[in-house]
């Protein structure tokens, strides 16, 4: 009887350990699936908004700025159609950049209306897209200086042209989280004319 009870105790201990292992595996896979879905939504938002970027001189969009696209290593700003959460149609200045978010930073989409009747001032609306970000790097491919040589650069300074591609690399504060692959996305694909 003592041997049978000892064996039952060992079996129950093994079952409890297996149950604990299964529960932890379920929790980890749920967290990774959620993080993967977040990355997919951010990727789709970046892709959709960059593809809809417009190349319009400042005089056309009612601003004093010489061009509609500004690219730096830590942010990208351009003129495009209204994001889904905006209050109405029209042209907007869209910016993807890091914003403080608790202990870390978040990749955020900032948008504000532009045009003849609205000044490009104020902070606009902000939507955090991806939390727990340590750093972001945007790079730009195209003819930056009107010299017909296509190359990758850290800043886009050509006020008369959109870059052809934007490379986006994100580093997370928690290195155990899913890694962000380097995405290379087309810019103004629907509006580019030859």
């Amino acid at each position: 009887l003592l041997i049978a009870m000892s064996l039952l105790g060992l079996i129950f201990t093994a079952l409890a350990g297996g149950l604990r292992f299964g529960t932890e595996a379920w929790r980890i896979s749920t967290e990774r699936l959620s993080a993967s879905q977040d990355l997919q939504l951010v990727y789709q938002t970046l892709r959709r908004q960059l593809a809809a970027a417009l190349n319009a001189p400042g005089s056309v969009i009612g601003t004093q700025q010489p061009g509609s696209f500004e690219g730096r290593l830590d942010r990208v700003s351009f003129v495009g159609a209204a994001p889904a959460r905006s209050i109405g149609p029209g042209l907007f200045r869209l910016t993807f950049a890091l914003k403080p978010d608790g202990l870390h930073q978040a990749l955020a989409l900032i948008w504000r209306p532009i045009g003849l009747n609205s000044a490009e001032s104020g902070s606009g609306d902000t939507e955090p897209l991806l939390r727990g970000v340590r750093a972001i790097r945007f790079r730009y491919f195209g003819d930056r200086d009107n010299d017909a040589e296509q190359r990758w650069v850290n800043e886009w300074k050509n006020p008369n042209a959109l870059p052809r591609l934007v490379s986006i690399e994100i580093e997370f504060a928690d290195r155990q989280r899913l890694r962000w692959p380097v995405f290379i996305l087309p810019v103004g694909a629907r509006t580019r004319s030859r």
Side-chain angles (χ1 to χ4, degrees), residues 90-147:
L91 293 179
F92 286 74
R93 166 109 7 226
L94 305 167
T95 303
F96 289 96
L98 292 182
K99 292 288 184 184
D101 185 48
L103 296 176
H104 302 290
Q105 299 181 87
L107 173 61
L109 169 60
I110 302 116
W111 70 92
R112 61 180 175 256
I114 59 173
L116 297 175
N117 296 325
S118 63
E120 225 180 353
S121 61
S123 61
D125 293 315
T126 301
E127 179 74 25
L129 300 176
L130 191 60
R131 291 184 158 84
V133 176
R134 178 189 315 259
I136 189 165
R137 285 174 289 285
F138 292 98
R139 298 195 67 228
Y140 310 92
F141 181 81
D143 176 14
R144 183 179 81 167
D145 300 317
N146 294 324
D147 61 5

Side-chain angles (χ1 to χ4, degrees), residues 46 49-50 53 68-79 93-98 107-110 136-140 154-156 162-163 165-168 185 187:
L46 286 163
Q49 295 303 141
L50 284 167
S68 56
F69 192 97
E70 177 193 352
R72 296 189 336 212
L73 194 59
D74 63 342
R75 68 176 36 229
V76 61
S77 179
F78 54 92
V79 173
R93 166 109 7 226
L94 305 167
T95 303
F96 289 96
L98 292 182
L107 173 61
L109 169 60
I110 302 116
I136 189 165
R137 285 174 289 285
F138 292 98
R139 298 195 67 228
Y140 310 92
N154 293 334
E155 290 188 6
W156 190 259
L162 297 174
L165 302 170
V166 173
S167 166
I168 304 162
L185 302 171
V187 178

